[in-house]
Amino acid sequence: MADSRELRSRATIHAGGEWLAASSGATREILDPADASPFAVVAEGDEKDTDLAVAAARRAFDAGDWPHTPVAERAALLRRVAGLLVRDRETLGLLESRDAGKTVEEGRVDIDCVADAFRYFADLVAGEAPGRVVDAGSPDIHSVVVHEPVGVCAMITPWNYPLLQASWKIAPALAAGNTFVIKPSEITPMTTVALIDLLVEAGLPTGVANIVTGPGHTVGARLAEHPDVDLVSFTGGLISGTKVAQAAAVTVKKVALELGGKNPNVVFADACETEEGFDTAVDQALNAAFIHSGQVCSAGGRLIVEESVRERFVAELARRAQKIRLGRGTEDGVECGPLVSEQQRAKTEDFVASALAEGAELRCGGKRPEPSPRRPGSGYFYEPTVLDHCHREMRVVREEVFGPVLTVETFRTEDEAVALANDTEYGLAGAVWTADAGRARRVAGRLRHGTVWINDFHPYLPQAEWGGFGKSGVGRELGPAGLAEYRESKHVYQNLAPKPVRWFSG
C-alpha cells in the first residue's frame, strides 16, 4: 500500500476507475503540521476535473450495476472494507497523524471507528425488511413504501477527522446503492485517497467511488452546484456550509450539513463532592477541550461550572493543562499534537487576544511553547489555554475557535445553567455533570443540542444519530437516519382488482 501511494503521489484524482493527475497539471504539497515540512504531493483539481468525476459517477449510477446489486452483496463489500481497514490500521493511523497532526494513538482509534462505521451500515441494511407495507383498507390493494438510492452523492469533508468524516458519508451512501464523488480537505487528503484504494481492492465496481483533491472554492463549489449531483453532504464551517446550501438550492438537490458547534460542559457542585468525582470531572473537562488540540466540532470549549466550586475546579484544571505534553504526534509520550496549519494557529491566537482585551483572565497557556526536539519551532504548536471570568458577550464564547482554548463561565442555579448552555446559535453537543439523577435527566431534556452526555464527554456510537440543532446543521449522520439521508422513499400502490371508476359519464 505504501509503495502504490508513493507512486501515485501526484495522481490523486480518481474518476471512472483511473488515477489521474489534474487536468491543469497543478499540484499541492501536503505539509506535516509538526514541522511544516512537505511529506506528500497531490493533484490540485479544478472544475474540469470535478465534471469528469461527476460524469463517471453519473454513468455508474444510471447504467451500472451497483444501485441494483442485492443488499446482501453490498453489505458483504462493506464488511470487506472494514477488514482491510483493520489490516492497514498501523499504516493508516500513522498517515492520519502526519496529515492532521494528531497523535498516532488518536489516528489508530480513528481507524477503528471507521471500520465500525462500515460494519454498522453493513449490518443495518442486511437486516432490513424489503419494504414497509401500508394498510390501504382493502384486500384488493397492495401498498408498500420502498427505499431507493438518491443517485450521485457529492461529499465535502473537513481536515480535523479526514477519514472518520469520510466514512460517515461513504459507508451509508454505498450501503444504500449510491455512487459518489468526494472532495477531502485540501490540507489533509491522504487517508481519503487511501480509502479509495481499499474500496477498489474490496471489489467496488468502476465509477462508483470517485475523488477529486483540490480547494473548496473550485472543486467544492462545483460539486454543490452541479446539475448531475443529486445530494451534497458537507461537514465544515458555518460560512462555507451556507455557501454550499445556497449553491445547491439552484438545482433543488438534497442537502446535509454538519457545521460544528460551541459546546457547553456544565458542571454542578454535587459532581465534585467526593475526591473521585472531582478528579473525574476535571479530567473529563481536559478531554472535552483539548483532545486533538481542540480541533473537534464537539469540543467542550465552554466550561460552565457552579460558582461554589469554580475556583478550586479551575485552579486544578489549569494546573493539569500546563502539564499536557505537546509534540510531534508520531513520538511516544506525546499527548497533544500541533494545530493543523499556521492559519489555524493564527486564528486561535486572535481569539485569545480578543478575549484578554474583553476582560478574560488567563489561567494558563495563551502562547506558543518553547521549541524542543519533539516540538520543532517550525511546527504549529499552541499551548492549552484556560480563560477564566468569561461571559456571553465575548467573541471567544460565541464563536467556534477550533483550537486548544477553554473558556470558563459560572452559574448559581439550575435554570441559569441551562440558560447559559443554550445561549448559542449552535446546538451540536453538550454535557452535564451531576450526582443527582433527577437533575441529570431534567437538564439533559432541556438542553437544545443534538447529543447530550451525562457524566461523560465525547463518546459516540455509530448506531446513534449525530447532528445538531440551530446553526450546527441540517440532517443527521450515523444511525438509521444517517442511512435515510442517502435514500429516497417511493410509494408503490398496486390495485389487484382494477375496475372502472365512472367518475365521468361519457
Side-chain angles (χ1 to χ4, degrees), residues 23-261:
S23 58
S24 67
T27 60
R28 173 189 291 263
E29 288 185 331
I30 303 303
L31 305 183
D32 185 334
D35 59 12
S37 65
F39 74 95
V41 178
V42 299
E44 182 86 329
D46 57 19
E47 294 91 343
K48 184 176 179 180
D49 302 298
T50 306
D51 288 348
L52 184 68
V54 171
R58 187 80 263 167
R59 286 193 302 272
F61 185 81
D62 293 341
D65 295 330
W66 185 249
H68 315 290
T69 298
V71 168
E73 292 183 28
R74 295 205 298 265
L77 184 136
L78 294 184
R79 294 190 186 101
R80 289 197 296 274
V81 174
L84 295 173
L85 287 160
V86 172
R87 182 196 69 186
D88 294 341
R89 180 178 186 259
E90 290 301 312
T91 301
L92 291 169
L94 177 61
L95 188 60
E96 197 78 326
S97 173
R98 294 203 68 189
D99 219 7
K102 62 184 65 179
T103 66
V104 172
E105 185 54 35
E106 286 180 86
R108 293 186 188 113
V109 171
D110 285 358
I111 305 310
D112 293 340
C113 293
V114 171
D116 287 344
F118 276 90
R119 292 191 199 98
Y120 168 71
F121 284 108
D123 293 343
L124 182 61
V125 293
E128 284 185 321
R132 175 169 58 88
V133 176
V134 178
D135 185 0
S138 168
D140 294 332
I141 301 299
H142 179 262
S143 181
V144 62
V145 174
V146 297
H147 302 290
E148 297 182 354
V150 170
V152 175
C153 301
M155 304 168 180
I156 304 171
T157 54
W159 47 258
N160 59 334
Y161 285 88
L163 196 59
L164 185 66
Q165 293 291 340
S167 73
W168 287 13
K169 301 178 192 302
I170 290 173
L174 292 180
N178 297 284
T179 64
F180 70 86
V181 179
I182 189 165
K183 189 209 88 67
S185 167
E186 58 268 34
I187 58 176
T188 58
M190 300 310 296
T191 50
T192 309
V193 172
L195 180 59
I196 301 299
D197 264 336
L198 297 187
L199 293 173
V200 173
E201 184 179 348
L204 192 67
T206 298
V208 175
N210 306 273
I211 182 172
V212 183
T213 50
H217 69 272
T218 54
V219 178
R222 180 58 179 155
L223 284 173
E225 70 181 12
H226 204 295
D228 283 339
V229 167
D230 301 296
L231 172 150
V232 58
S233 178
F234 171 88
T235 300
L238 176 60
I239 294 174
S240 296
T242 301
K243 292 179 180 177
V244 166
Q246 290 171 339
V250 176
T251 51
V252 201
K253 57 173 59 74
K254 291 187 72 173
V255 175
L257 304 172
E258 203 270 82
L259 306 179

